[in-house]
Amino acid sequence: MIIGYARVSTSDQNLDRQIDLLREQGCERIYQERITGTTKERPELNRMFEALREGDTVIICELTRLSRSVKDLFSLVEQIKNIGVNIKSLKEPWMDTTTPQGMLLFSVFAGVSQFERDLIKERTNEGLKSARARGRRGGRPKADPKKMELALKLYDSKACSVSDILKTTGISKATLYSYIRKRE
């Protein structure tokens, strides 16, 4: 099945141009969305992923309609490929995994993206190793025991609201509740 995905960033923008182009390509089903691409939760995109079956082809007008960041784009395309589905962009002819040339170019770009992730991981590990050699440990600093004790006493007394406890002690809400859970 040939499936289209069209998206605009705001509700006052028009999807007509994208829908016309997708229909010209023979899309049997077009998922339409009016939501910013930076939002992780895109209901129509999720519905499309649920409907995809091996052998399908997803067509988009341009890559920016699928994603706003390169990292997110490669993640989405990788998910699509893992299902056994091809993807084709009308504006970027190199993004067409239905052809051997498109598959080669996508593999090269995916390889470069993986290389970048591996370099970041390597540099992070080197930085952690260097910090440990100097006696530093990772993680968040522990809460001041005296402030934590005061916060727990105030909490147990029920004399103060949680908001007041946080202001008085300077401890975060998450830290307070974490210590309360540890006691139980």
Side-chain angles (χ1 to χ4, degrees):
M1 179 181 278
I2 300 175
I3 297 170
Y5 177 75
R7 183 188 61 77
V8 290
S9 298
T10 62
S11 59
D12 59 330
Q13 290 177 320
N14 195 314
L15 285 163
D16 291 344
R17 180 189 64 84
Q18 291 180 58
I19 292 169
D20 290 345
L21 288 169
L22 294 171
R23 283 195 178 129
E24 285 174 18
Q25 295 295 312
C27 291
E28 301 162 56
R29 172 78 174 103
I30 299 174
Y31 292 87
Q32 305 171 36
E33 205 142 47
R34 285 184 164 86
I35 193 167
T36 179
T38 57
T39 303
K40 283 273 186 198
E41 281 305 311
R42 291 184 270 164
E44 287 299 303
L45 182 65
N46 293 339
R47 284 184 55 213
M48 182 187 78
F49 268 101
E50 290 171 9
L52 290 175
R53 299 294 175 256
E54 188 173 346
D56 288 348
T57 298
V58 172
I59 298 180
I60 52 176
C61 290
E62 56 187 280
L63 293 175
T64 60
R65 300 300 88 209
L66 189 61
S67 172
R68 285 282 183 197
S69 74
V70 173
K71 181 180 177 183
D72 187 43
L73 172 67
F74 278 115
S75 173
L76 290 170
V77 173
E78 199 68 35
Q79 286 176 304
I80 290 170
K81 289 303 299 166
N82 287 341
I83 299 169
V85 173
N86 286 306
I87 183 163
K88 181 178 181 178
S89 169
L90 301 178
K91 190 170 184 179
E92 295 87 6
W94 58 265
M95 174 48 84
D96 181 358
T97 62
T98 63
T99 68
Q101 298 86 344
M103 201 54 217
L104 171 66
L105 282 171
F106 173 71
S107 297
V108 168
F109 286 125
V112 169
S113 180
Q114 182 62 48
F115 176 67
E116 181 183 16
R117 287 191 297 270
D118 291 346
L119 284 178
I120 290 168
K121 182 178 177 182
E122 188 176 278
R123 285 193 299 265
T124 300
N125 287 336
E126 287 171 357
L128 290 170
K129 184 178 176 184
S130 176
R132 282 188 206 107
R134 289 175 175 73
R136 287 184 262 156
R137 292 183 19 222
R140 293 177 183 233
K142 299 278 184 211
D144 181 334
K146 290 180 182 179
K147 287 183 180 181
M148 202 63 240
E149 185 180 342
L150 173 61
L152 292 171
K153 282 181 184 176
L154 292 171
Y155 181 82
D156 291 338
S157 74
K158 298 189 184 345
C160 298
S161 69
V162 170
S163 178
D164 290 337
I165 295 170
L166 302 179
K167 287 177 190 170
T168 303
T169 61
I171 292 172
S172 75
K173 189 175 187 178
T175 301
L176 175 63
Y177 283 118
S178 173
Y179 274 79
I180 290 168
R181 277 192 306 274
K182 284 179 187 176
R183 291 189 318 178
E184 294 172 353

